[in-house]
Amino acid sequence: MRPQRDSVLALVELMERKAPECLDLFTAQTDEEFEAAFDALLEKAVRHLEKNKVNFSRLNEVGLSAVLAGSLSIPGLSVTQETHSNGHVDISVDAYFCSPARTKLGEAKVYDGPKRHVEGLDQLLGRYTTGREGRGLLIEYFKKKNIKGLVEKLREAMDTDLPLKQKGACQDHKLKWSFITTHRHDSGEELDVGHIGCNLHVGEPGDE
Amino acid sequence: MSQAIRITTDSEFYQEHTESVELWSPGCPVFPRPQNAAGLDELRIHSGINWLLDSNGRLRAASFTPVAIKTSGGAGFETLSKRASAYLQQHLGEDHKWTIINRAIWASMSANPDNVLLLSDIDSILEPGSSDPHDVLAVIALLSEPSCGLLKMNYRSGSQAGEVSNIEVMKRLRAWWREESITNDEWKAWAGGIVVAWTPVDSKARLQ
């Protein structure tokens, strides 16, 4: 059967071609199903950034998050951003096709050490999150080299300090250079936050 | 300009759409510099004034074709297109491709007798040589996001009168994709008969 060109069938086939995980996401019935599908979509968007990092080398966190938003958005799933003067970018993920609709909040910034990372986490958990949203998102664009070592140091610092009522040590994330923390929130809920590393280091000639 | 030239426009169009007709001469200080000016290549592809400009961007012809986006009472497509462009720039950044796609979307809707955007219209929105419809879908996704308030996605059954709800579409999608409680053929038969279309949320913008 040849699908009608303007039909739901044609739209779903377009989405499936972009990423089958879109359909996993829209049909998710549990938080776990939704997060698993979103992680898969996010991984593709992060890989797109990393693959084209030379082209994006001049972009700041706003420009980089804009590329991420363009990669992730598809009818039923919108990714938007609000810029703040302190170098942070608020990201909002709205899956408005899901029933019930699901929202994720995030922060994005160029990595500048554990202290600045925790400031971003504070902003995410303290100011914007109500406790109703899904797992939070903290995206770090690493322009420095050795993302592996930097993420390990960041995890160690967080495991030592347990900032923002962090409950226990960092957990592994499905994505590379990424991890998950759990925090006691003022709402009484325990909220997970995914810390996502994106390797945008562009080596200079003579770089070791 | 080194020599005088005469510029004319369609008198009937000008009578009806005075507010939409402007003459911008590239490089002339008399005219304001647009914030989101398209490049010459983009103008050649997407507007009716392509043949007005020579290879150096100088005005060369003595006639003018109407702009692609029609306007009417209420907000009008031109206004909505500008609002949408500002919204997209905030979230997707300053890449001109988003401006071009946005403008093409509103031009397509204004040209459609029912003022709708259909999936098959995406082919005409794509730039020549571009084969990726997902950038267009990303723009549609953001403009259809409920809090954005610019586009609304509708489903209509081909065999029955009336709209089909998003909940119903998601229920069928879940039954096919995740639960496998309906067969491939059953899904295709149903989804192939539901037309998906986008319309402006602001009903005043609809052309009669």
Coordinates of all heavy atoms in Angstrom, one line a residue, chain B residues 62-151:
Chain B
A62 N 13.5 46.5 -14.1 CA 12.6 47.6 -13.9 C 11.2 47.1 -13.7 O 10.2 47.6 -14.3 CB 12.7 48.6 -15.1
S63 N 11.0 46.1 -13.0 CA 9.7 45.6 -12.7 C 9.8 44.8 -11.3 O 10.9 44.6 -10.8 CB 9.3 44.6 -13.8 OG 8.0 44.2 -13.5
F64 N 8.7 44.5 -10.8 CA 8.6 43.9 -9.5 C 7.5 42.9 -9.4 O 6.4 43.2 -9.8 CB 8.4 45.0 -8.5 CG 8.7 44.7 -7.0 CD1 10.1 44.6 -6.6 CD2 7.7 44.3 -6.2 CE1 10.3 44.3 -5.3 CE2 8.0 44.0 -4.9 CZ 9.3 43.9 -4.4
T65 N 7.7 41.8 -8.8 CA 6.6 40.8 -8.6 C 6.2 40.8 -7.2 O 6.9 41.2 -6.3 CB 7.1 39.4 -8.9 OG1 8.3 39.1 -8.2 CG2 7.3 39.2 -10.4
P66 N 4.9 40.5 -6.9 CA 4.4 40.6 -5.6 C 5.1 39.7 -4.6 O 5.7 38.6 -5.0 CB 2.9 40.1 -5.7 CG 2.6 40.2 -7.2 CD 3.9 40.1 -7.9
V67 N 5.2 40.1 -3.4 CA 5.8 39.2 -2.4 C 5.1 37.9 -2.2 O 3.9 37.9 -2.5 CB 5.9 39.9 -1.0 CG1 6.9 41.1 -1.1 CG2 4.6 40.4 -0.5
A68 N 5.7 36.9 -1.8 CA 5.1 35.6 -1.7 C 4.0 35.5 -0.6 O 3.0 34.8 -0.8 CB 6.1 34.5 -1.5
I69 N 4.2 36.2 0.5 CA 3.2 36.0 1.6 C 2.1 37.1 1.4 O 2.4 38.3 1.5 CB 3.9 36.2 2.9 CG1 5.0 35.1 3.1 CG2 2.9 36.1 4.1 CD1 5.7 35.2 4.4
K70 N 0.9 36.6 1.3 CA -0.3 37.5 1.2 C -0.6 38.0 2.6 O -0.3 37.3 3.6 CB -1.4 36.8 0.5 CG -1.2 36.2 -0.8 CD -2.4 35.4 -1.2 CE -2.1 34.6 -2.5 NZ -3.2 33.7 -2.8
T71 N -1.3 39.1 2.7 CA -1.8 39.5 4.0 C -3.3 39.8 3.8 O -3.9 40.0 2.8 CB -1.2 40.8 4.4 OG1 -1.4 41.8 3.4 CG2 0.3 40.6 4.6
S72 N -4.0 39.8 5.0 CA -5.4 40.1 5.0 C -5.7 40.8 6.3 O -4.8 41.2 7.0 CB -6.2 38.8 4.9 OG -6.1 38.1 6.1
G73 N -7.0 40.9 6.7 CA -7.3 41.5 8.0 C -6.7 40.7 9.2 O -6.2 39.6 9.0
G74 N -6.9 41.2 10.4 CA -6.3 40.5 11.5 C -4.8 40.6 11.5 O -4.2 41.4 10.9
A75 N -4.3 39.6 12.2 CA -2.8 39.6 12.3 C -2.1 39.5 11.0 O -1.1 40.1 10.7 CB -2.4 38.5 13.2
G76 N -2.7 38.7 10.1 CA -2.1 38.5 8.8 C -0.9 37.6 8.8 O -0.2 37.5 9.8
F77 N -0.7 37.0 7.7 CA 0.4 36.0 7.6 C 1.8 36.7 7.7 O 2.7 36.1 8.2 CB 0.3 35.2 6.3 CG -0.7 34.1 6.4 CD1 -2.0 34.3 6.0 CD2 -0.3 32.9 6.9 CE1 -2.9 33.3 6.1 CE2 -1.2 31.8 7.0 CZ -2.5 32.1 6.6
E78 N 1.9 37.9 7.1 CA 3.2 38.6 7.2 C 3.6 38.8 8.7 O 4.7 38.5 9.1 CB 3.1 39.9 6.5 CG 4.4 40.6 6.3 CD 5.4 39.9 5.3 OE1 4.9 39.5 4.3 OE2 6.5 39.8 5.7
T79 N 2.6 39.2 9.5 CA 2.9 39.5 10.9 C 3.3 38.2 11.6 O 4.2 38.2 12.4 CB 1.7 40.2 11.5 OG1 1.3 41.3 10.8 CG2 2.0 40.6 13.0
L80 N 2.5 37.2 11.3 CA 2.7 35.9 12.0 C 4.1 35.3 11.6 O 4.8 34.8 12.4 CB 1.6 34.9 11.6 CG 0.3 35.2 12.2 CD1 -0.8 34.2 11.7 CD2 0.3 35.0 13.7
S81 N 4.4 35.5 10.3 CA 5.7 35.1 9.8 C 6.9 35.8 10.6 O 7.9 35.1 11.0 CB 5.8 35.3 8.3 OG 7.1 35.0 7.9
K82 N 6.7 37.0 10.8 CA 7.7 37.8 11.5 C 7.8 37.4 13.0 O 8.9 37.2 13.6 CB 7.5 39.3 11.4 CG 7.8 39.9 10.1 CD 7.4 41.4 10.0 CE 7.7 41.9 8.6 NZ 7.2 43.2 8.4
R83 N 6.7 37.1 13.6 CA 6.7 36.7 15.0 C 7.3 35.3 15.1 O 8.1 35.0 16.0 CB 5.2 36.5 15.5 CG 4.6 37.8 16.1 CD 3.2 37.6 16.5 NE 3.0 36.5 17.4 CZ 1.8 35.9 17.6 NH1 0.7 36.4 17.0 NH2 1.7 34.9 18.5
A84 N 7.0 34.5 14.1 CA 7.6 33.1 14.1 C 9.1 33.2 13.9 O 9.9 32.4 14.5 CB 6.9 32.3 13.0
S85 N 9.5 34.1 13.0 CA 10.9 34.2 12.8 C 11.7 34.6 14.0 O 12.8 34.1 14.3 CB 11.1 35.2 11.6 OG 12.5 35.3 11.3
A86 N 11.1 35.6 14.8 CA 11.8 36.0 16.0 C 11.9 34.9 17.0 O 12.9 34.7 17.7 CB 11.0 37.2 16.6
Y87 N 10.8 34.1 17.1 CA 10.7 33.0 18.0 C 11.8 31.9 17.7 O 12.5 31.4 18.5 CB 9.3 32.4 18.0 CG 9.1 31.3 18.9 CD1 8.8 31.5 20.3 CD2 9.1 29.9 18.5 CE1 8.6 30.5 21.2 CE2 8.9 28.9 19.4 CZ 8.6 29.2 20.7 OH 8.4 28.2 21.6
L88 N 11.9 31.7 16.4 CA 12.8 30.6 15.9 C 14.3 31.1 16.1 O 15.1 30.3 16.5 CB 12.6 30.3 14.4 CG 11.3 29.6 14.1 CD1 11.1 29.6 12.6 CD2 11.3 28.2 14.7
Q89 N 14.5 32.4 15.9 CA 15.9 32.9 16.1 C 16.3 32.8 17.5 O 17.4 32.4 17.8 CB 15.9 34.4 15.6 CG 17.3 34.9 15.6 CD 17.4 36.3 15.0 OE1 16.5 36.7 14.4 NE2 18.5 37.0 15.3
Q90 N 15.3 33.0 18.5 CA 15.6 32.9 19.9 C 16.0 31.4 20.2 O 17.0 31.2 21.0 CB 14.4 33.3 20.7 CG 14.7 33.2 22.2 CD 13.4 33.4 23.0 OE1 12.4 33.9 22.5 NE2 13.4 33.1 24.3
H91 N 15.3 30.5 19.6 CA 15.5 29.1 20.1 C 16.5 28.3 19.2 O 17.1 27.3 19.6 CB 14.2 28.4 20.2 CG 13.3 29.0 21.2 ND1 13.6 29.0 22.5 CD2 12.1 29.7 21.1 CE1 12.7 29.6 23.2 NE2 11.8 30.1 22.4
L92 N 16.5 28.6 17.9 CA 17.4 27.8 17.0 C 18.6 28.6 16.5 O 19.4 28.0 15.8 CB 16.5 27.4 15.8 CG 15.3 26.4 16.1 CD1 14.6 26.1 14.8 CD2 15.8 25.2 16.8
G93 N 18.7 29.8 16.9 CA 19.9 30.6 16.5 C 19.7 31.4 15.2 O 18.6 31.5 14.7
E94 N 20.8 31.9 14.7 CA 20.8 32.9 13.7 C 21.1 32.3 12.3 O 21.2 33.0 11.3 CB 21.7 34.0 14.0 CG 21.3 34.8 15.2 CD 22.2 36.0 15.5 OE1 23.2 36.1 14.8 OE2 21.8 36.7 16.4
D95 N 21.2 31.0 12.2 CA 21.4 30.3 10.9 C 20.2 30.7 9.9 O 19.1 30.6 10.3 CB 21.4 28.8 11.1 CG 21.9 28.1 9.8 OD1 21.7 28.6 8.7 OD2 22.5 27.0 10.0
H96 N 20.6 31.3 8.8 CA 19.6 31.7 7.8 C 18.7 30.7 7.3 O 17.6 31.0 6.9 CB 20.3 32.4 6.6 CG 20.7 33.8 6.8 ND1 19.9 34.7 7.4 CD2 21.9 34.4 6.6 CE1 20.5 35.9 7.5 NE2 21.7 35.7 7.1
K97 N 19.1 29.4 7.5 CA 18.2 28.4 6.9 C 16.8 28.4 7.7 O 15.8 28.1 7.1 CB 18.8 27.0 7.0 CG 18.9 26.4 8.4 CD 19.5 25.0 8.3 CE 19.7 24.4 9.7 NZ 20.4 23.1 9.7
W98 N 16.9 28.7 9.0 CA 15.6 28.7 9.7 C 14.7 29.9 9.2 O 13.5 29.7 9.1 CB 15.9 28.9 11.2 CG 16.8 27.9 11.8 CD1 18.0 28.1 12.4 CD2 16.6 26.5 11.8 NE1 18.6 26.9 12.8 CE2 17.8 25.9 12.4 CE3 15.7 25.6 11.3 CZ2 18.0 24.5 12.6 CZ3 15.8 24.2 11.5 CH2 17.0 23.7 12.1
T99 N 15.3 31.0 8.9 CA 14.5 32.1 8.3 C 13.9 31.8 7.0 O 12.7 32.0 6.8 CB 15.4 33.4 8.1 OG1 16.1 33.6 9.4 CG2 14.6 34.6 7.7
I100 N 14.6 31.1 6.2 CA 14.2 30.7 4.9 C 13.0 29.7 5.0 O 12.0 29.8 4.4 CB 15.3 30.1 4.0 CG1 16.4 31.2 3.8 CG2 14.8 29.5 2.7 CD1 17.7 30.6 3.3
I101 N 13.2 28.7 5.8 CA 12.2 27.7 6.0 C 10.9 28.3 6.6 O 9.8 28.0 6.1 CB 12.7 26.5 6.9 CG1 13.8 25.8 6.2 CG2 11.6 25.6 7.3 CD1 14.5 24.8 7.1
N102 N 11.1 29.2 7.6 CA 9.9 29.8 8.2 C 9.1 30.6 7.2 O 7.9 30.4 7.1 CB 10.4 30.7 9.3 CG 9.2 31.5 9.9 OD1 8.3 30.9 10.5 ND2 9.3 32.8 9.8
R103 N 9.8 31.4 6.4 CA 9.1 32.2 5.4 C 8.4 31.3 4.4 O 7.3 31.6 4.0 CB 10.1 33.1 4.7 CG 9.5 34.2 3.9 CD 10.3 35.4 3.7 NE 9.6 36.4 2.9 CZ 8.8 37.2 3.4 NH1 8.5 37.3 4.7 NH2 8.1 38.1 2.6
A104 N 9.1 30.2 4.0 CA 8.4 29.3 3.0 C 7.2 28.7 3.6 O 6.2 28.4 2.9 CB 9.5 28.3 2.6
I105 N 7.2 28.4 4.9 CA 6.1 27.7 5.5 C 4.9 28.7 5.5 O 3.8 28.3 5.1 CB 6.4 27.3 7.0 CG1 7.3 26.1 7.0 CG2 5.1 27.1 7.8 CD1 7.8 25.7 8.4
W106 N 5.1 29.9 5.9 CA 4.0 30.9 5.9 C 3.5 31.2 4.5 O 2.3 31.4 4.2 CB 4.3 32.1 6.7 CG 4.5 31.8 8.1 CD1 5.7 31.5 8.8 CD2 3.5 31.6 9.1 NE1 5.4 31.2 10.1 CE2 4.1 31.2 10.3 CE3 2.1 31.7 9.1 CZ2 3.4 31.0 11.5 CZ3 1.4 31.5 10.3 CH2 2.0 31.1 11.5
A107 N 4.4 31.3 3.6 CA 4.1 31.5 2.2 C 3.2 30.4 1.6 O 2.2 30.6 0.9 CB 5.3 31.7 1.3
S108 N 3.6 29.2 2.0 CA 2.9 28.0 1.5 C 1.4 28.0 2.1 O 0.5 27.8 1.4 CB 3.6 26.7 2.0 OG 2.9 25.6 1.6
M109 N 1.3 28.4 3.4 CA 0.0 28.4 4.0 C -0.9 29.5 3.4 O -2.1 29.4 3.2 CB 0.1 28.6 5.5 CG 0.3 27.3 6.3 SD 0.1 27.5 8.0 CE 1.5 28.5 8.4
S110 N -0.3 30.7 3.1 CA -1.0 31.8 2.6 C -1.5 31.5 1.2 O -2.5 32.0 0.7 CB -0.2 33.1 2.6 OG 0.8 33.1 1.7
A111 N -0.7 30.7 0.5 CA -1.1 30.3 -0.9 C -2.1 29.2 -1.0 O -2.8 29.1 -2.0 CB 0.2 29.9 -1.7
N112 N -2.3 28.5 0.1 CA -3.2 27.4 0.1 C -4.6 27.9 0.3 O -4.8 28.8 1.2 CB -2.9 26.4 1.2 CG -3.8 25.2 1.3 OD1 -5.0 25.3 1.5 ND2 -3.2 24.0 1.0
P113 N -5.6 27.5 -0.5 CA -7.0 28.0 -0.4 C -7.6 27.9 1.0 O -8.4 28.7 1.5 CB -7.8 27.2 -1.4 CG -6.8 26.6 -2.3 CD -5.5 26.5 -1.6
D114 N -7.2 26.8 1.7 CA -7.7 26.6 3.1 C -6.7 27.1 4.1 O -6.9 26.9 5.3 CB -7.9 25.1 3.3 CG -9.0 24.6 2.4 OD1 -10.0 25.3 2.2 OD2 -8.9 23.4 1.8
N115 N -5.6 27.7 3.7 CA -4.6 28.2 4.6 C -4.1 27.2 5.6 O -4.0 27.4 6.8 CB -5.2 29.4 5.4 CG -5.6 30.5 4.6 OD1 -6.6 31.2 4.9 ND2 -4.9 30.8 3.5
V116 N -3.8 26.0 5.0 CA -3.2 24.9 5.8 C -1.9 24.6 5.2 O -1.6 24.8 4.1 CB -4.1 23.6 5.8 CG1 -5.5 23.9 6.5 CG2 -4.2 23.0 4.5
L117 N -1.1 24.0 6.1 CA 0.2 23.4 5.6 C 0.1 21.9 5.7 O -0.3 21.3 6.7 CB 1.3 23.8 6.6 CG 2.7 23.3 6.2 CD1 3.3 24.0 5.0 CD2 3.7 23.5 7.3
L118 N 0.3 21.3 4.6 CA 0.2 19.8 4.5 C 1.6 19.2 4.4 O 2.6 19.9 4.1 CB -0.6 19.4 3.3 CG -2.0 19.8 3.3 CD1 -2.6 19.6 1.9 CD2 -2.8 19.1 4.3
L119 N 1.7 17.9 4.8 CA 3.0 17.2 4.8 C 3.6 17.3 3.4 O 4.9 17.5 3.2 CB 2.8 15.8 5.2 CG 3.9 15.1 5.9 CD1 4.4 15.9 7.1 CD2 3.4 13.7 6.4
S120 N 2.8 17.2 2.4 CA 3.4 17.2 1.0 C 3.9 18.6 0.6 O 4.7 18.7 -0.4 CB 2.3 16.8 0.0 OG 1.1 17.5 0.2
D121 N 3.5 19.6 1.3 CA 4.1 20.9 1.0 C 5.6 21.0 1.4 O 6.3 21.9 0.9 CB 3.3 22.0 1.8 CG 1.9 22.1 1.4 OD1 1.6 21.8 0.2 OD2 1.0 22.5 2.2
I122 N 6.0 20.1 2.2 CA 7.4 20.2 2.7 C 8.4 20.1 1.5 O 9.4 20.7 1.4 CB 7.7 19.1 3.7 CG1 7.0 19.4 5.0 CG2 9.2 18.9 3.9 CD1 7.2 18.4 6.1
D123 N 8.0 19.3 0.5 CA 8.8 19.1 -0.7 C 9.1 20.5 -1.4 O 10.2 20.8 -1.8 CB 8.2 18.2 -1.7 CG 8.1 16.8 -1.2 OD1 8.9 16.5 -0.3 OD2 7.3 16.0 -1.7
S124 N 8.1 21.3 -1.4 CA 8.2 22.6 -2.1 C 9.0 23.6 -1.2 O 9.5 24.6 -1.7 CB 6.9 23.2 -2.5 OG 6.1 23.4 -1.4
I125 N 9.0 23.3 0.1 CA 9.7 24.2 1.0 C 11.2 24.0 1.0 O 12.0 24.9 1.2 CB 9.1 24.0 2.5 CG1 7.7 24.6 2.5 CG2 10.0 24.7 3.5 CD1 6.9 24.3 3.8
L126 N 11.5 22.7 0.8 CA 13.0 22.4 0.8 C 13.7 23.2 -0.3 O 13.2 23.4 -1.4 CB 13.1 20.9 0.5 CG 12.7 19.9 1.6 CD1 12.8 18.5 1.1 CD2 13.6 20.1 2.8
E127 N 14.9 23.6 0.1 CA 15.8 24.3 -0.8 C 16.2 23.3 -2.0 O 16.3 22.1 -1.7 CB 17.0 24.7 -0.2 CG 16.9 26.0 0.6 CD 18.2 26.5 1.1 OE1 18.9 27.1 0.3 OE2 18.5 26.2 2.3
P128 N 16.3 23.8 -3.2 CA 16.8 22.9 -4.2 C 18.2 22.3 -3.8 O 19.0 23.0 -3.3 CB 17.0 23.8 -5.4 CG 16.1 25.0 -5.1 CD 16.1 25.1 -3.7
G129 N 18.3 21.0 -4.0 CA 19.5 20.3 -3.6 C 19.5 19.8 -2.2 O 20.4 19.0 -1.8
S130 N 18.5 20.3 -1.4 CA 18.4 19.8 0.0 C 17.5 18.6 0.0 O 16.4 18.7 -0.5 CB 17.9 20.9 0.9 OG 17.5 20.3 2.2
S131 N 17.9 17.5 0.7 CA 17.0 16.4 0.7 C 16.5 16.1 2.2 O 15.9 15.0 2.4 CB 17.7 15.2 0.2 OG 18.9 14.9 0.9
D132 N 16.9 16.9 3.1 CA 16.5 16.6 4.5 C 15.3 17.4 4.9 O 15.4 18.6 5.2 CB 17.7 17.0 5.4 CG 17.5 16.5 6.8 OD1 16.4 15.9 7.1 OD2 18.4 16.7 7.7
P133 N 14.2 16.7 5.1 CA 13.0 17.4 5.5 C 12.9 17.7 7.0 O 12.0 18.3 7.5 CB 11.9 16.4 5.1 CG 12.5 15.1 5.2 CD 13.9 15.3 4.8
H134 N 13.9 17.1 7.7 CA 13.8 17.2 9.2 C 14.0 18.6 9.7 O 13.5 18.9 10.8 CB 14.8 16.2 9.8 CG 14.4 14.8 9.5 ND1 15.2 14.0 8.7 CD2 13.2 14.1 9.7 CE1 14.5 12.8 8.6 NE2 13.4 12.9 9.2
D135 N 14.8 19.5 9.0 CA 14.9 20.9 9.4 C 13.5 21.5 9.3 O 13.2 22.3 10.2 CB 15.9 21.6 8.5 CG 17.3 21.3 8.8 OD1 17.6 20.7 9.9 OD2 18.2 21.5 8.0
V136 N 12.7 21.2 8.3 CA 11.4 21.8 8.2 C 10.5 21.3 9.3 O 9.8 22.0 9.9 CB 10.7 21.4 6.8 CG1 9.4 22.0 6.7 CG2 11.6 21.9 5.7
L137 N 10.6 20.0 9.6 CA 9.9 19.4 10.7 C 10.3 20.0 12.1 O 9.4 20.2 12.9 CB 10.1 17.9 10.8 CG 9.4 17.1 9.6 CD1 9.7 15.6 9.8 CD2 7.9 17.3 9.6
A138 N 11.5 20.3 12.2 CA 12.0 21.0 13.5 C 11.3 22.3 13.6 O 10.9 22.7 14.7 CB 13.5 21.1 13.5
V139 N 11.2 23.1 12.5 CA 10.6 24.4 12.6 C 9.1 24.2 12.9 O 8.5 24.9 13.8 CB 10.8 25.2 11.3 CG1 9.9 26.4 11.2 CG2 12.2 25.5 11.1
I140 N 8.5 23.3 12.3 CA 7.0 23.0 12.5 C 6.8 22.6 14.0 O 5.9 23.1 14.6 CB 6.5 22.0 11.6 CG1 6.5 22.5 10.1 CG2 5.1 21.5 12.0 CD1 6.2 21.4 9.1
A141 N 7.8 21.8 14.5 CA 7.7 21.4 15.9 C 7.7 22.5 16.9 O 6.8 22.6 17.8 CB 8.8 20.4 16.2
L142 N 8.6 23.5 16.6 CA 8.7 24.6 17.6 C 7.4 25.5 17.4 O 6.9 26.0 18.4 CB 10.0 25.4 17.3 CG 11.1 25.0 18.3 CD1 11.5 23.6 18.2 CD2 12.2 26.0 18.2
L143 N 7.0 25.7 16.2 CA 5.9 26.7 16.0 C 4.6 26.0 16.5 O 3.6 26.7 16.8 CB 5.8 27.1 14.5 CG 7.0 27.8 14.0 CD1 6.7 28.2 12.5 CD2 7.3 29.0 14.8
S144 N 4.5 24.7 16.6 CA 3.3 24.0 17.0 C 3.3 23.8 18.5 O 2.3 23.2 19.1 CB 3.2 22.6 16.3 OG 3.3 22.8 14.9
E145 N 4.4 24.1 19.2 CA 4.5 23.9 20.6 C 3.4 24.7 21.3 O 3.3 25.9 21.0 CB 5.9 24.3 21.1 CG 6.3 23.6 22.4 CD 6.0 24.5 23.6 OE1 6.2 25.7 23.4 OE2 5.6 24.0 24.6
P146 N 2.6 24.1 22.1 CA 1.4 24.9 22.6 C 1.7 26.3 23.2 O 0.9 27.2 22.9 CB 0.9 23.9 23.7 CG 1.3 22.6 23.3 CD 2.6 22.8 22.6
S147 N 2.8 26.4 23.9 CA 3.0 27.8 24.5 C 3.5 28.8 23.5 O 3.4 30.0 23.7 CB 4.1 27.7 25.6 OG 5.3 27.3 25.1
C148 N 3.9 28.3 22.3 CA 4.3 29.2 21.2 C 3.1 29.9 20.6 O 3.1 31.1 20.4 CB 5.1 28.5 20.2 SG 5.4 29.4 18.7
G149 N 2.0 29.2 20.4 CA 0.8 29.8 20.0 C 0.8 30.3 18.5 O 0.0 31.2 18.2
L150 N 1.5 29.7 17.7 CA 1.5 30.1 16.3 C 0.9 29.1 15.3 O 0.1 29.5 14.4 CB 3.0 30.4 15.8 CG 3.5 31.8 16.3 CD1 5.0 31.8 16.2 CD2 2.9 32.9 15.6
L151 N 1.2 27.8 15.5 CA 0.6 26.8 14.6 C -0.2 25.8 15.5 O 0.2 25.5 16.6 CB 1.6 26.1 13.8 CG 2.3 26.8 12.6 CD1 3.3 25.9 11.9 CD2 1.3 27.4 11.7

